[in-house]
């Protein structure tokens, strides 16, 4: 037996490490195998069946996502049988899914549609109305479940369970009536849900959608510009993508929604909390202070430039120090500051003003 | 969070009155399992999910042939809390009706009227005392020399076969099973000794034996009859298996509708325990809660663990990673009940009893025959021989389903094909669980196919798309064919592709076999589907 673990994929030899799956090795070498229920953060379940491959000596096709490699395996991810499998599977999926692109993609890109057209799956097998229950009375303000679009890949329920540890949603019912539900079909507000919106992020078809842009009729996601930024609600520094409609508000632009950067590309690995994902509408609020304000001799606040404002603050602080001594000053930074900003605050406190009176409100 | 009490979910929901509002939350508090999980589990099993239906009328093929539609309609008109259900393992006593958890045999429209609108009062005139009832069996003799199950024989509580198994040792027991050529009788026909060896050769020493008594394949009721008549054989077989693979815990999973067999098995366990026959081997009884798919062995394991009964990906197989991840030997009732006789009389004796393949076989027969029931005959008899034993044909044979809904329909011209695993597999069908249904020339074959398709549509677990969508798609296509609706092209135009996909793409045997009723009928009876 050779000391190296190798397999053959589509006739070429590749190394693999113990525990790796067919999909792991294929991904490393940019060999595309379609998936819908797969998410690298979750345990593989092999339920969507799009990733089936052929393994020499196996009677049945095997899911690439869940099949661990063994030395000497010979695998095909492209051949006539697999082509027919992908086409017929996707045709079948489309009998249970809106075919009209507008209906199929009210918000996030629909991976099933993209896959069906990529593989040129016939779409003329007929259409059957969904039997999956919705929760129309769910009064939560953020997450909208559109059962027509659901393909029951269970990414949302597994994410809620395995990543968030929240278990607010579950596969419920059986057969064609299987749907995504909460306990007793309650509103998410009455469950353990923390409204992190991870279910929306992991959904491949947009069945889990963001209520606000959907009910407001904003543009679908693919027509928006993505702007990567750092969430400023706390110091963790999660990366998120603002999805901006540049034409909105007479060309001033508007943030339509927040989405997660792709899994594996940022330190937060696509995970966000309720604030990062949903609390962005203040950005365009009319009461929001958008320039510095300095209180004048008249007792009123007057708009000022940043230079003027910083100058006013600096001279005020220095005046206190001169009059009462350096330890008469204390600095408290906000938990919304990043680690780097907190570092700068303590630097300023100690090096510029000479006091150790510095704290951060999230510290105990 | 601790998962220790997960396996209690279904029972606790049952005690709470089913999945009524608040029940899932209550069980979540009792078990420490998240409430959405509890709800998801409860909603999977129809006896829990729809607790208001106190009466369930079987709408399986044999029951419909015997007038189940009329009984269901009568129950609805009498304002009974009723719904149709898929299969009650009572095709020999059609139409079978479930009252709470008890199957009533041969219920008539008159029986329904007699209940006077009170579901608790529903009785079958065929079982007036409402006590334990038995189905017909054959041959009608106690004959331990040529019958392995010997259903007419008296139960034997002596434990002789178990003692012999201990005496000759595990190696010799498994060798006898191998010599016997015993194949799994739940449907797959897989050689039993491979599973026994597969389990006992694992490095992991905590191992389990599981009994699959979730009989629910339409056309099949033999396991019910074995448990009712020979609980001794079932329990002794399990004990021998446990001893052979080095297990002490045995789990018995009986479908929830088997209230009567449950009591018989429970009595048997107590009887053996009182005599101390099986040493430290412990039996644990678990009830199903309404889900055909839990007859699939890995779905059954999921159900035992307190989860939705969705089949697992294989490999790994249960012999390696089964119940709670431990090596598990899981067998159908009939298979395990063959074991004591094999140990007693030897593998060669068993093997020689078969014709095409080894041993005798319990054939269930229902539909248009004189005496529906369970018949123990050499494995590999023909349909004509079986029907002769079962009182002959009623009317002229048109078609037959050789092994449950999953086996599809074969034409009268194939009546000579031996009813055995290999030969039926060779003609694109299967012996399956040997639930034979006979249709005579009065039968509407298209309607019969529709019944089977509706069954699979209702019983798909919903986990994988090929089965969940495919079973519905086929039923949808056939209903359009029946309605002569060609608005979106010929109704059956894409059936071959959909069936191919279901077979290739489905995770488990349900979806893989579900197209057979339609595809085999299209192959053998194309004229039935013409506009």
């Amino acid at each position: 037996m050779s000391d190296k673990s190798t397999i053959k994929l589509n006739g070429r030899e590749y190394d693999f490490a113990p525990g790796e799956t067919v999909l792991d090795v294929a991904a490393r070498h940019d060999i595309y195998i379609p998936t819908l229920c797969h998410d690298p953060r979750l345990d593989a379940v092999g339920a969507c069946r799009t990733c089936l491959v052929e393994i020499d000596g196996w009677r049945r096709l095997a899911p690439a996502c869940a099949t661990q490699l063994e030395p000497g395996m010979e695998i095909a991810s492209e051949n006539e049988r697999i082509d027919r499998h992908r086409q017929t599977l996707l045709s079948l999926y489309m009998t249970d899914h809106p075919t009209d692109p507008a209906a199929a993609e009210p918000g996030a890109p629909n991976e099933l549609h993209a896959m069906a057209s990529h593989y040129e799956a016939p779409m003329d097998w007929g259409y059957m109305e969904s039997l999956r229950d919705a929760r129309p009375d769910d009064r939560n303000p953020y997450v909208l479940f559109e059962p027509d679009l659901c393909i029951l890949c269970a990414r949302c329920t597994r994410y809620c369970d395995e990543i968030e540890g929240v278990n607010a949603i579950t596969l419920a019912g059986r057969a064609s009536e299987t749907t995504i539900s909460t306990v007793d079909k309650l509103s998410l507000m009455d469950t353990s849900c923390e409204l992190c919106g991870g279910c929306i992020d992991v959904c491949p078809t947009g069945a889990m959608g963001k209520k606000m842009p959907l009910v407001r009729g904003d543009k679908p996601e693919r027509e928006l510009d993505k702007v990567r930024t750092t969430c400023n609600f706390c110091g963790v520094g999660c990366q998120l993508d603002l999805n901006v409609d540049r034409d909105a508000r007479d060309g001033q632009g508007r943030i339509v929604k927040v989405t997660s950067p792709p899994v594996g590309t940022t330190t937060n690995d696509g995970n966000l909390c309720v604030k990062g994902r949903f609390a962005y509408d203040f950005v365009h609020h009319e009461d929001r202070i958008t320039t510095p304000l300095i209180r004048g001799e008249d007792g009123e606040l007057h708009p000022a430039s940043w230079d003027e404002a910083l100058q006013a603050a600096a001279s005020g602080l220095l005046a206190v120090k001169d009059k009462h001594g350096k330890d008469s000053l204390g600095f408290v930074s906000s938990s919304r500051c990043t680690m780097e900003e907190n570092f700068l605050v303590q630097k300023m406190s100690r090096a510029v003003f000479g006091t150790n009176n510095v704290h951060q409100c999230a510290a105990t | 969070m601790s998962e220790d009490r997960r396996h209690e979910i279904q029972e606790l929901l049952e005690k709470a009155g089913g999945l009524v509002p608040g029940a899932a939350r209550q069980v979540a508090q009792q078990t420490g399992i998240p409430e959405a999980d509890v709800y998801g589990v409860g909603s999977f099993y129809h006896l829990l999910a729809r607790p208001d239906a106190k009466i369930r009328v079987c709408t399986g093929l044999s029951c419909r042939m015997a007038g189940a539609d009329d009984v269901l309609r009568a129950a609805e008109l009498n304002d009974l809390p009723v719904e149709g259900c898929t299969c009650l393992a009572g095709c020999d006593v059609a139409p079978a009706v479930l009252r709470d958890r008890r199957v009533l045999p041969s219920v008539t429209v008159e029986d329904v009227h007699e209940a006077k609108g009170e579901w608790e009062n529903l009785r079958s005139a065929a079982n007036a005392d409402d006590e334990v009832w038995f189905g017909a069996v054959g041959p009608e003799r106690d004959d331990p020399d040529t019958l392995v199950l010997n259903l007419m024989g008296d139960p034997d509580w002596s434990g002789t076969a178990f003692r012999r198994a201990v005496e000759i040792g595990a190696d010799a027991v498994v060798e006898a099973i191998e010599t016997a050529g015993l194949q799994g009788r739940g449907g797959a026909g897989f050689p039993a000794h491979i599973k026994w060896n597969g389990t006992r050769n694992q490095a992991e020493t905590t191992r389990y034996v599981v009994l699959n008594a979730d009989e629910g394949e339409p056309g099949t009721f033999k396991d019910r009859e074995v448990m009712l008549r020979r609980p001794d054989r079932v329990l002794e077989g399990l004990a021998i298996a446990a001893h052979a693979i080095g297990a002490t815990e045995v789990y018995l999973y009986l479908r929830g509708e088997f209230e009567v067999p449950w009591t018989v098995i429970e009595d048997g366990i107590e009887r053996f325990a009182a005599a101390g026959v099986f040493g430290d081997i412990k039996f644990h009884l678990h009830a199903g809660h309404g889900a055909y798919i839990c007859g699939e062995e890995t779905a059954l394991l999921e159900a035992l663990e307190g989860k939705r009964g969705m089949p697992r990906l294989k490999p790994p197989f249960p012999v390696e990673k089964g119940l709670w991840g431990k090596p598990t030997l899981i067998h159908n009732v009939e298979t395990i009940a063959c074991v004591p006789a094999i140990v007693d009389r030897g593998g060669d004796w068993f093997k020689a009893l078969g014709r095409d393949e080894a041993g005798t076989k319990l054939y269930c027969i229902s539909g248009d025959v004189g005496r529906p029931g369970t018949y123990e005959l050499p494995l590999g008899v023909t349909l004509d021989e079986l029907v002769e034993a079962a009182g002959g044909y009623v009317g002229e044979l048109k078609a037959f389903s050789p092994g449950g809904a999953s086996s599809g329909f074969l034409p009268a011209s194939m009546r000579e094909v031996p009813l055995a695993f290999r030969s039926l597999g060779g003609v694109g069908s299967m012996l399956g669980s040997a639930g034979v249904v006979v249709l005579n020339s009065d039968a509407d074959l298209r309607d019969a196919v529709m019944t089977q398709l509706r069954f699979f549509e209702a019983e798909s677990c919903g986990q994988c798309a090929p089965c969940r969508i495919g079973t519905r798609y086929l039923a949808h296509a056939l209903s359009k064919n029946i309605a002569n609706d060609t608005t979106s092209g010929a109704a059956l135009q894409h059936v071959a592709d959909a069936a191919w996909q279901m077979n290739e793409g489905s995770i488990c045997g349900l979806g893989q076999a579900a197209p057979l009723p339609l595809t085999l009928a299209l192959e053998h009876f194309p004229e039935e589907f013409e506009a």
Side-chain angles (χ1 to χ4, degrees), chain A residues 3-20:
Chain A
D3 56 348
K4 262 204 315 194
S5 294
T6 61
I7 50 106
K8 272 190 179 169
L9 178 54
N10 299 331
R12 284 192 57 181
E13 201 162 89
Y14 298 98
D15 293 341
F16 73 95
E20 282 195 309

Side-chain angles (χ1 to χ4, degrees), chain A residues 243-256:
Chain A
N243 288 242
V244 179
D245 178 357
R246 300 275 185 202
D247 302 327
R249 303 196 310 145
D250 298 330
Q252 290 182 71
R254 176 159 76 192
I255 300 171
V256 171

Side-chain angles (χ1 to χ4, degrees), chain A residues 44-49 52 58-61 63 65-66 80-82 84-90 92-96 122 124-132 150-152 161 166-178 181-186 190-192, chain B residues 19-25 34-37 39-41 43-46 50 86 290-293 308 310 313-315 456-474 476 480 488 493-494 496-498 500-507 512:
Chain A
V45 291
C48 75
R49 313 309 280 167
L52 299 191
W58 291 32
R59 193 165 59 93
R60 296 216 155 264
L61 298 175
C65 66
E80 267 183 43
R81 183 181 177 197
I82 294 169
R84 187 176 180 199
H85 162 67
R86 287 173 184 162
Q87 281 204 330
T88 53
L89 174 65
L90 291 164
L92 206 47
Y93 264 117
M94 295 309 294
T95 64
D96 184 40
D124 61 347
W125 284 25
Y127 174 69
M128 303 179 292
E129 295 235 339
S130 157
L131 300 175
R132 296 177 284 277
C150 180
I151 57 166
L152 296 164
D161 173 7
V166 165
N167 292 79
I169 50 175
T170 176
L171 285 175
R174 199 174 69 201
S176 321
E177 292 176 2
T178 312
S181 184
T182 54
V183 60
D184 290 344
K185 303 183 190 173
L186 295 175
D190 300 321
T191 69
S192 53
Chain B
L19 200 64
V20 292
R25 188 156 274 186
E35 55 191 25
D37 266 20
Y39 180 80
V41 171
S43 67
F44 186 86
Y45 301 95
H46 58 249
R50 296 193 295 280
T86 42
Y292 162 76
I293 189 58
R308 294 166 58 79
M310 304 194 301
L313 300 175
K314 288 175 280 192
F456 289 120
E457 182 191 357
E459 294 295 344
S460 165
C461 85
Q463 177 182 208
C464 72
C467 176
R468 179 185 69 244
I469 306 174
T471 51
R472 186 169 177 226
Y473 182 78
L474 295 188
H476 204 71
K480 281 208 257 179
S488 56
Q493 190 185 348
H494 301 293
D497 274 337
W500 184 90
Q501 167 53 224
M502 291 166 72
N503 182 37
E504 285 281 11
S506 296
I507 289 177
Q512 290 159 10

